Amino acid sequence: MKIAFFDAKDYDITSFTRCGEEGIRFKFYETKLDEDTVGLAKGFDGVCVFVNDRVNAAVVDRLYEYGVRIVALRCAGYNNVDLERCFGKIHVVHVPAYSPYAVAEHTMALLLTSVRRIHKAYNRTKDFNFSLNGLTGFDLHGKTVGVVGTGKIGRVFIDICRGFGMRVVAYDKYPSGEGNIEYVPLDALLRESDVISLHCPLTEETHHLIGREAFTKMKKGAILLNTSRGALIDAEALLDAIKQRIVGAACLDVYEEESDIFFRDFSGHIVEDDVLARLISMPNVIVTSHQAFLTEEALANIAETTVHNLTAFRDGDLPENELCYRCGKIEDCKKSRRQRCF
Ligand code: NAI
């Protein structure tokens, strides 16, 4: 089985090579998959993609024409794949969980960095400046954190916050009932929370979930954390909310328009995205470039599950991590009868 592996980074090559399976040959491409690069997939049985590869309708049609029959996402989110266009043509598999701890722990790392001004202190002491002026933080203990999306990552983050003595409220469109969580409507969460953390997927419904209207409902000085998907937040509205002192701090591991920027080195270049540049220039904004998943454990799990997904598909087994646009939405779906999605 020959797989064209797009957006390959050194750490991907290391982890996928380490977990090598004889029957699968990966060809690693540094470039992302999109309409311009899809030609590189010619002659392959499948493609392996990440969060910023674009598997839109045009790309799906070309992949199908080239004989590609599987798209293996090496991530959990799949908002960058046109699942409906894939249906009946190309099977799509993903890695539903590789380390919720990696993402939840990074979220807390960002929160602590922000509230205790660690990023400022680090730079100061590197310059032998030991002054404490401007570094006053606040205790997390006793504060209210509002968690949007209480799936795998959201629940781990809730446990971490409880360990800090925080009061947790949550909003989830499909609450599972696990974990003894106090659910409130989104508006109440926005009103009551000192810290708001986003852990729901990006869908049409959640696009700009935190936009101009949401910012008017937030507690003044609230801290906003997003380690989920950039477009959950309207970035321009966030910028205004920071300028109006509504948002006290923002910690972003993801950004709406990250696909042409994140994972690349732009030092020494002019970044064209004015909203991102302005956000980064704010003293109360911390940006990491979609690195919340990046731990040894997560990388090993990603490689292992992806290889498992591919071999299962090759061997005609049931690919349990298959996705389609009807999954979970129609009553009598084929998958629920323990078959492939199509
Ligand atoms: P999950 O599927 O276990 O949980 C998602 C939760 O969101 C579910 O409880 C679901 O009911 C809820 N939800 C769905 N629609 C909603 C809506 N309209 N409003 C409120 N809640 C809604 O997913 P998991 O593993 O916890 O991941 C969450 C997100 O984290 C992923 O969708 C992905 O975008 C992001 N992620 C980011 C990574 C990073 O490196 N920054 C790495 C891995 C995931």
XYZ file of all heavy atoms in Angstrom, residues 113-193:
634
model
N 0.705 30.375 32.466
C 1.683 31.322 31.908
C 1.081 32.716 31.898
O 1.713 33.697 32.291
C 2.064 30.903 30.466
O 2.579 29.585 30.507
C 3.102 31.833 29.871
N -0.173 32.789 31.449
C -0.816 34.089 31.324
C -1.076 34.736 32.688
O -0.690 35.881 32.914
C -2.128 33.911 30.561
O -2.819 35.115 30.511
N -1.701 33.980 33.605
C -2.106 34.633 34.864
C -0.911 34.923 35.771
O -0.956 35.841 36.576
C -3.194 33.878 35.666
C -4.485 33.825 34.902
C -2.760 32.509 36.096
N 0.182 34.141 35.642
C 1.343 34.404 36.491
C 2.463 35.113 35.742
O 3.570 35.265 36.224
C 1.847 33.102 37.124
C 0.802 32.373 37.949
C 0.084 33.276 38.962
N 1.021 33.923 39.856
C 1.392 33.414 41.035
N 0.864 32.285 41.448
N 2.259 34.046 41.772
N 2.163 35.552 34.502
C 3.105 36.365 33.685
C 4.454 35.679 33.495
O 5.499 36.329 33.507
C 3.336 37.736 34.327
C 2.096 38.434 34.819
C 1.336 39.088 33.671
N 0.321 39.977 34.171
C -0.966 39.622 34.342
N -1.367 38.407 34.067
N -1.835 40.498 34.781
N 4.426 34.365 33.346
C 5.675 33.606 33.217
C 6.444 34.034 31.958
O 7.681 34.112 31.965
C 5.398 32.079 33.162
C 4.596 31.603 34.381
C 6.687 31.278 33.028
C 5.281 31.717 35.714
N 5.704 34.317 30.875
C 6.368 34.712 29.623
C 7.138 36.014 29.801
O 8.201 36.207 29.220
C 5.347 34.813 28.482
C 4.145 35.678 28.773
N 3.376 35.561 29.903
C 3.587 36.687 28.066
C 2.390 36.445 29.877
N 2.502 37.141 28.770
N 6.580 36.902 30.636
C 7.261 38.184 30.884
C 8.476 37.957 31.785
O 9.562 38.491 31.541
C 6.312 39.167 31.591
C 5.056 39.454 30.842
C 5.292 40.583 29.874
C 4.101 40.760 28.951
N 4.451 41.365 27.697
N 8.254 37.162 32.842
C 9.337 36.922 33.810
C 10.526 36.216 33.144
O 11.686 36.538 33.416
C 8.802 36.078 34.971
N 10.229 35.296 32.259
C 11.283 34.538 31.570
C 12.192 35.509 30.798
O 13.423 35.457 30.899
C 10.645 33.519 30.620
C 11.643 32.756 29.779
C 12.313 31.650 30.307
C 11.933 33.145 28.475
C 13.238 30.958 29.547
C 12.857 32.458 27.708
C 13.510 31.362 28.248
O 14.433 30.678 27.513
N 11.550 36.404 30.044
C 12.349 37.363 29.267
C 13.132 38.299 30.165
O 14.269 38.634 29.898
C 11.440 38.196 28.352
C 10.965 37.371 27.175
O 11.635 36.415 26.783
N 9.821 37.718 26.633
N 12.498 38.729 31.270
C 13.174 39.662 32.165
C 14.425 39.053 32.778
O 15.496 39.655 32.761
C 12.245 40.054 33.321
C 11.395 41.220 32.953
C 10.723 41.754 34.173
N 9.550 42.481 33.718
C 8.722 43.097 34.517
N 8.909 43.063 35.825
N 7.706 43.751 34.044
N 14.279 37.855 33.378
C 15.430 37.281 34.086
C 16.537 36.885 33.108
O 17.707 36.886 33.461
C 15.028 36.073 34.962
O 14.335 35.131 34.159
C 14.145 36.495 36.124
N 16.174 36.562 31.859
C 17.195 36.290 30.830
C 18.069 37.532 30.617
O 19.197 37.453 30.168
C 16.532 35.937 29.495
C 16.072 34.515 29.409
C 17.209 33.591 28.991
C 16.813 32.161 29.194
N 17.917 31.258 29.331
N 17.440 38.696 30.901
C 18.149 39.964 30.722
C 18.646 40.497 32.069
O 18.941 41.681 32.213
C 17.167 40.968 30.071
C 17.868 42.078 29.343
O 19.022 41.871 28.927
O 17.260 43.165 29.208
N 18.687 39.609 33.085
C 19.121 39.970 34.445
C 18.292 41.115 35.029
O 18.772 41.878 35.843
C 20.624 40.278 34.481
C 21.441 39.078 34.077
C 21.901 38.946 32.770
C 21.691 38.059 34.980
C 22.594 37.810 32.380
C 22.389 36.923 34.595
C 22.848 36.797 33.295
N 17.033 41.203 34.594
C 16.121 42.185 35.165
C 15.262 41.441 36.188
O 14.415 40.629 35.809
C 15.256 42.781 34.042
C 14.153 43.677 34.574
O 13.972 43.809 35.777
N 13.411 44.288 33.676
N 15.481 41.721 37.471
C 14.776 40.962 38.519
C 13.640 41.769 39.149
O 13.182 41.454 40.242
C 15.779 40.482 39.575
C 16.847 39.586 38.967
C 18.136 40.046 38.750
C 16.533 38.293 38.577
C 19.101 39.231 38.167
C 17.489 37.468 37.992
C 18.775 37.941 37.779
N 13.192 42.801 38.455
C 12.099 43.607 38.991
C 10.770 42.840 38.879
O 10.582 42.047 37.965
C 12.023 44.915 38.190
O 10.701 45.272 37.955
N 9.876 43.081 39.857
C 8.571 42.386 39.845
C 7.433 43.288 39.359
O 6.282 42.846 39.277
C 8.230 41.889 41.255
C 9.112 40.793 41.849
C 8.583 40.359 43.214
C 9.184 39.577 40.934
N 7.762 44.536 39.038
C 6.699 45.459 38.633
C 5.915 44.923 37.441
O 6.492 44.456 36.469
C 7.288 46.825 38.251
C 7.770 47.560 39.483
O 7.303 47.294 40.591
N 8.734 48.454 39.300
N 4.606 44.975 37.555
C 3.755 44.551 36.426
C 3.548 43.053 36.325
O 2.921 42.581 35.379
N 4.089 42.291 37.283
C 3.964 40.833 37.182
C 2.880 40.263 38.104
O 2.764 39.052 38.240
C 5.308 40.148 37.500
C 6.482 40.468 36.579
C 7.695 39.607 36.929
C 6.112 40.246 35.119
N 2.081 41.137 38.727
C 1.068 40.636 39.658
C 0.031 39.776 38.932
O -0.532 40.202 37.920
C 0.329 41.814 40.346
O 1.321 42.683 40.872
C -0.595 41.322 41.451
N -0.185 38.584 39.439
C -1.183 37.698 38.833
C -2.395 37.579 39.733
O -2.689 38.486 40.514
N -3.127 36.470 39.609
C -4.207 36.201 40.565
C -4.316 34.698 40.784
O -3.837 33.901 39.974
C -5.547 36.823 40.117
C -6.086 36.295 38.820
C -6.757 35.080 38.763
C -5.937 37.025 37.647
C -7.265 34.598 37.570
C -6.441 36.544 36.439
C -7.102 35.328 36.401
N -4.930 34.322 41.926
C -5.099 32.899 42.246
C -6.165 32.284 41.333
O -7.218 32.896 41.120
C -5.616 32.723 43.683
C -4.601 33.139 44.729
O -3.511 33.624 44.348
O -4.904 32.967 45.929
N -5.925 31.088 40.864
C -6.982 30.368 40.138
C -7.969 29.760 41.132
O -9.148 29.589 40.840
C -6.380 29.260 39.271
C -5.559 29.722 38.060
C -4.987 28.525 37.308
C -6.409 30.563 37.110
N -7.477 29.423 42.302
C -8.296 28.819 43.340
C -9.520 29.697 43.608
O -9.399 30.900 43.801
C -7.472 28.660 44.630
C -8.213 27.915 45.685
N -9.010 28.541 46.610
C -8.302 26.596 45.938
C -9.557 27.644 47.403
N -9.137 26.452 47.014
N -10.698 29.072 43.549
C -11.925 29.827 43.840
C -12.516 30.524 42.626
O -13.642 31.010 42.678
N -11.780 30.586 41.519
C -12.324 31.240 40.314
C -13.224 30.250 39.559
O -13.127 29.030 39.732
C -11.192 31.698 39.385
C -10.281 32.740 40.003
C -10.981 34.055 40.228
C -10.039 35.140 40.728
N -9.342 34.843 41.970
N -14.075 30.802 38.686
C -14.977 29.953 37.892
C -14.424 29.782 36.492
O -14.082 30.760 35.827
C -16.381 30.606 37.828
O -16.888 30.699 39.151
C -17.340 29.779 36.966
N -14.324 28.521 36.072
C -13.911 28.248 34.695
C -15.106 27.678 33.938
O -15.813 26.811 34.446
C -12.688 27.284 34.646
C -12.942 25.967 35.331
C -12.255 27.019 33.191
N -15.337 28.205 32.746
C -16.429 27.730 31.895
C -15.841 26.918 30.753
O -15.032 27.419 29.976
N -16.234 25.650 30.678
C -15.670 24.755 29.668
C -16.728 24.484 28.592
O -17.818 23.995 28.895
C -15.195 23.427 30.320
C -14.679 22.448 29.272
C -14.097 23.728 31.347
N -16.415 24.832 27.357
C -17.354 24.625 26.250
C -16.922 23.366 25.502
O -15.874 23.342 24.864
C -17.357 25.845 25.296
C -18.339 25.612 24.156
C -17.698 27.118 26.057
N -17.729 22.312 25.634
C -17.364 21.019 25.027
C -16.744 20.121 26.077
O -15.609 20.349 26.502
N -17.522 19.125 26.517
C -17.035 18.255 27.599
C -16.800 16.844 27.076
O -17.263 15.864 27.648
C -18.041 18.237 28.769
O -19.322 17.862 28.238
C -18.127 19.571 29.449
N -16.077 16.761 25.964
C -15.664 15.468 25.430
C -14.387 15.025 26.127
O -14.147 15.351 27.296
N -13.547 14.309 25.377
C -12.347 13.723 25.992
C -11.421 14.795 26.575
O -10.986 14.704 27.719
C -11.598 12.883 24.939
C -12.381 11.647 24.506
C -11.716 10.914 23.391
C -11.886 11.550 22.036
N -13.251 11.660 21.511
N -11.129 15.826 25.772
C -10.176 16.852 26.232
C -10.825 17.735 27.300
O -10.223 18.009 28.338
C -9.678 17.694 25.035
C -8.893 16.803 24.060
C -8.826 18.864 25.513
C -8.564 17.446 22.724
N -12.064 18.159 27.030
C -12.756 19.030 27.984
C -12.825 18.398 29.370
O -12.604 19.071 30.384
N -13.086 17.081 29.423
C -13.220 16.429 30.738
C -11.874 16.346 31.468
O -11.818 16.506 32.682
C -13.858 15.049 30.594
C -15.357 15.131 30.335
C -16.079 13.870 30.791
N -15.564 12.693 30.134
C -15.963 12.242 28.953
N -16.900 12.894 28.284
N -15.445 11.160 28.418
N -10.789 16.095 30.714
C -9.463 16.073 31.373
C -9.140 17.479 31.897
O -8.643 17.649 33.022
C -8.351 15.585 30.405
C -6.979 15.700 31.058
C -8.597 14.145 29.966
N -9.476 18.497 31.086
C -9.201 19.866 31.519
C -10.004 20.207 32.777
O -9.509 20.858 33.701
C -9.501 20.857 30.380
C -9.127 22.269 30.713
C -7.802 22.623 30.928
C -10.094 23.247 30.859
C -7.449 23.926 31.266
C -9.768 24.551 31.194
C -8.426 24.885 31.399
N -11.246 19.728 32.814
C -12.088 19.957 33.999
C -11.422 19.342 35.235
O -11.340 19.975 36.301
C -13.501 19.374 33.779
C -14.274 20.280 32.805
C -14.271 19.208 35.096
C -15.624 19.733 32.364
N -10.907 18.122 35.105
C -10.236 17.469 36.248
C -9.036 18.288 36.712
O -8.796 18.449 37.910
C -9.752 16.060 35.855
C -10.920 15.073 35.784
O -12.004 15.416 36.291
O -10.737 13.985 35.206
N -8.285 18.801 35.743
C -7.103 19.603 36.102
C -7.556 20.862 36.859
O -6.989 21.224 37.894
C -6.286 19.977 34.841
C -5.687 18.719 34.197
C -5.188 20.981 35.180
C -4.996 18.954 32.863
N -8.595 21.510 36.348
C -9.085 22.746 36.987
C -9.601 22.459 38.400
O -9.405 23.259 39.320
C -10.186 23.379 36.148
S -9.583 24.053 34.603
N -10.267 21.310 38.550
C -10.760 20.954 39.892
C -9.591 20.776 40.844
O -9.674 21.115 42.024
C -11.606 19.687 39.820
C -12.989 19.976 39.240
C -13.807 18.715 39.104
N -15.179 19.018 38.716
C -16.006 18.158 38.154
N -15.603 16.919 37.901
N -17.220 18.509 37.838
N -8.490 20.235 40.333
C -7.286 20.082 41.153
C -6.753 21.413 41.650
O -6.064 21.477 42.667
N -7.057 22.472 40.909
C -6.611 23.819 41.303
C -7.646 24.495 42.222
O -7.477 25.653 42.573
C -6.395 24.693 40.064
C -5.041 24.509 39.445
C -4.748 23.401 38.671
C -4.030 25.444 39.667
C -3.501 23.222 38.101
C -2.774 25.279 39.112
C -2.495 24.162 38.331
N -8.719 23.774 42.531
C -9.745 24.363 43.412
C -10.642 25.352 42.692
O -11.219 26.248 43.317
N -10.787 25.191 41.371
C -11.661 26.108 40.628
C -13.088 25.550 40.611
O -13.292 24.335 40.663
C -11.172 26.262 39.177
C -9.769 26.826 39.082
S -9.231 27.033 37.361
C -9.960 28.624 36.952
N -14.070 26.438 40.494
C -15.453 25.994 40.285
C -15.616 25.813 38.772
O -15.188 26.665 37.983
C -16.408 27.075 40.788
C -17.836 26.773 40.449
C -18.778 27.937 40.780
N -20.078 27.661 40.206
C -20.773 28.519 39.478
N -20.306 29.737 39.235
N -21.951 28.189 38.995
N -16.203 24.688 38.391
C -16.335 24.405 36.953
C -17.802 24.465 36.540
O -18.659 23.839 37.177
C -15.779 22.998 36.616
C -15.974 22.695 35.132
C -14.307 22.880 36.999
N -18.095 25.239 35.491
C -19.400 25.135 34.835
C -19.117 24.763 33.378
O -18.017 25.011 32.886
C -20.223 26.451 34.893
C -20.627 26.774 36.315
C -19.468 27.608 34.256
N -20.092 24.143 32.725
C -19.826 23.692 31.361
C -21.044 23.854 30.477
O -22.184 23.907 30.955
C -19.384 22.233 31.378
N -20.760 23.961 29.164
C -21.820 23.946 28.167
C -21.440 22.908 27.108
O -20.292 22.879 26.651
C -21.984 25.319 27.511
C -22.840 25.254 26.277
C -24.217 25.068 26.383
C -22.275 25.335 25.005
C -25.011 24.956 25.247
C -23.065 25.232 23.863
C -24.435 25.041 23.997
O -25.205 24.922 22.872
N -22.378 22.042 26.787
C -22.150 21.074 25.720
C -23.493 20.845 25.056
O -24.511 20.697 25.739
C -21.587 19.753 26.294
C -21.045 18.848 25.204
O -21.786 18.532 24.254
O -19.867 18.448 25.300
N -23.512 20.852 23.738
C -24.792 20.642 23.043
C -25.300 19.216 23.265
O -26.500 18.968 23.249
C -24.606 20.913 21.551
C -25.926 20.994 20.879
C -25.942 21.823 19.647
C -27.377 21.857 19.140
N -27.450 21.744 17.716
N -24.377 18.290 23.459
C -24.767 16.886 23.677
C -24.106 16.364 24.945
O -23.194 15.532 24.875
C -24.340 16.027 22.479
C -24.658 16.657 21.143
C -23.670 17.357 20.434
C -25.937 16.573 20.601
C -23.963 17.954 19.211
C -26.228 17.170 19.380
C -25.237 17.858 18.690
O -25.519 18.452 17.488
N -24.503 16.872 26.124
C -23.808 16.462 27.356
C -23.953 14.956 27.605
O -25.029 14.400 27.369
C -24.502 17.268 28.455
C -25.772 17.763 27.853
C -25.614 17.784 26.374
N -22.871 14.335 28.046
C -22.891 12.873 28.173
C -23.393 12.398 29.530
O -23.734 11.239 29.701
C -21.480 12.329 27.963
O -20.705 12.623 29.103
N -23.422 13.285 30.496
C -23.872 12.880 31.833
C -22.735 12.324 32.677
O -22.919 12.055 33.854
N -21.546 12.156 32.080
C -20.405 11.640 32.854
C -19.716 12.775 33.612
O -19.739 13.918 33.177
C -19.348 11.036 31.899
C -19.698 9.670 31.371
C -18.695 9.239 30.306
O -17.491 9.245 30.599
O -19.139 8.921 29.191
N -19.079 12.419 34.703
C -18.132 13.339 35.354
C -18.728 14.337 36.320
O -18.052 15.271 36.735
N -20.014 14.180 36.691
C -20.614 15.053 37.692
C -20.367 16.534 37.382
O -19.819 17.278 38.190
C -20.028 14.689 39.072
C -20.848 15.269 40.194
O -22.015 15.627 39.995
N -20.224 15.405 41.366
N -20.765 16.932 36.193
C -20.464 18.286 35.705
C -21.698 19.174 35.810
O -22.816 18.742 35.492
C -19.977 18.210 34.234
C -18.652 17.426 34.157
C -19.798 19.592 33.624
C -18.252 17.013 32.758
N -21.498 20.433 36.234
C -22.617 21.381 36.307
C -22.790 22.055 34.941
O -21.968 22.884 34.545
C -22.314 22.443 37.388
C -23.421 23.470 37.538
C -23.033 24.626 38.483
O -22.053 24.502 39.259
O -23.722 25.658 38.403
N -23.832 21.636 34.209
C -24.075 22.234 32.895
C -24.942 23.475 33.020
O -25.890 23.503 33.807
C -24.748 21.223 31.958
C -23.794 20.157 31.471
C -23.784 18.885 32.052
C -22.883 20.426 30.460
C -22.895 17.908 31.615
C -21.984 19.453 30.026
C -21.996 18.208 30.602
O -21.106 17.257 30.178
N -24.604 24.498 32.247
C -25.398 25.733 32.225
C -25.552 26.136 30.752
O -24.755 25.703 29.915
C -24.697 26.879 33.009
C -24.590 26.572 34.492
C -23.310 27.190 32.428
N -26.537 26.972 30.418
C -26.622 27.457 29.036
C -25.389 28.297 28.687
O -24.737 28.856 29.597
C -27.885 28.328 29.034
C -28.643 27.935 30.261
C -27.638 27.471 31.258
N -25.082 28.401 27.407
C -23.868 29.121 26.999
C -23.851 30.560 27.523
O -22.820 31.048 27.999
C -23.735 29.101 25.464
C -22.473 29.756 24.900
C -21.202 29.086 25.411
C -22.493 29.721 23.363
N -24.993 31.239 27.463
C -25.037 32.629 27.928
C -24.646 32.743 29.402
O -23.920 33.650 29.795
C -26.450 33.205 27.756
C -26.681 33.646 26.326
O -25.778 33.410 25.483
O -27.758 34.206 26.043
N -25.139 31.801 30.208
C -24.816 31.829 31.641
C -23.327 31.559 31.836
O -22.671 32.184 32.675
C -25.651 30.790 32.379
N -22.795 30.632 31.049
C -21.358 30.330 31.148
C -20.537 31.586 30.837
O -19.585 31.917 31.548
C -21.009 29.200 30.171
C -19.563 28.713 30.125
C -19.508 27.215 29.813
C -18.698 29.461 29.126
N -20.939 32.298 29.779
C -20.191 33.501 29.393
C -20.259 34.557 30.501
O -19.291 35.234 30.803
C -20.749 34.080 28.090
C -20.620 33.197 26.842
C -21.374 33.803 25.666
C -19.158 32.977 26.468
N -21.439 34.667 31.110
C -21.651 35.684 32.157
C -20.873 35.375 33.424
O -20.309 36.264 34.050
C -23.145 35.740 32.501
C -23.879 36.934 31.953
C -25.254 37.124 32.587
N -25.901 35.930 33.087
C -26.732 35.165 32.367
N -27.007 35.476 31.114
N -27.298 34.101 32.907
N -20.810 34.081 33.783
C -20.277 33.719 35.109
C -18.789 33.417 35.151
O -18.188 33.409 36.215
C -21.000 32.448 35.609
C -22.435 32.673 35.977
C -23.120 31.361 36.346
O -22.453 30.439 36.851
O -24.337 31.261 36.104
N -18.185 33.128 33.992
C -16.832 32.561 34.017
C -15.721 33.608 34.067
O -15.738 34.595 33.329
C -16.613 31.684 32.792
O -17.578 30.670 32.765
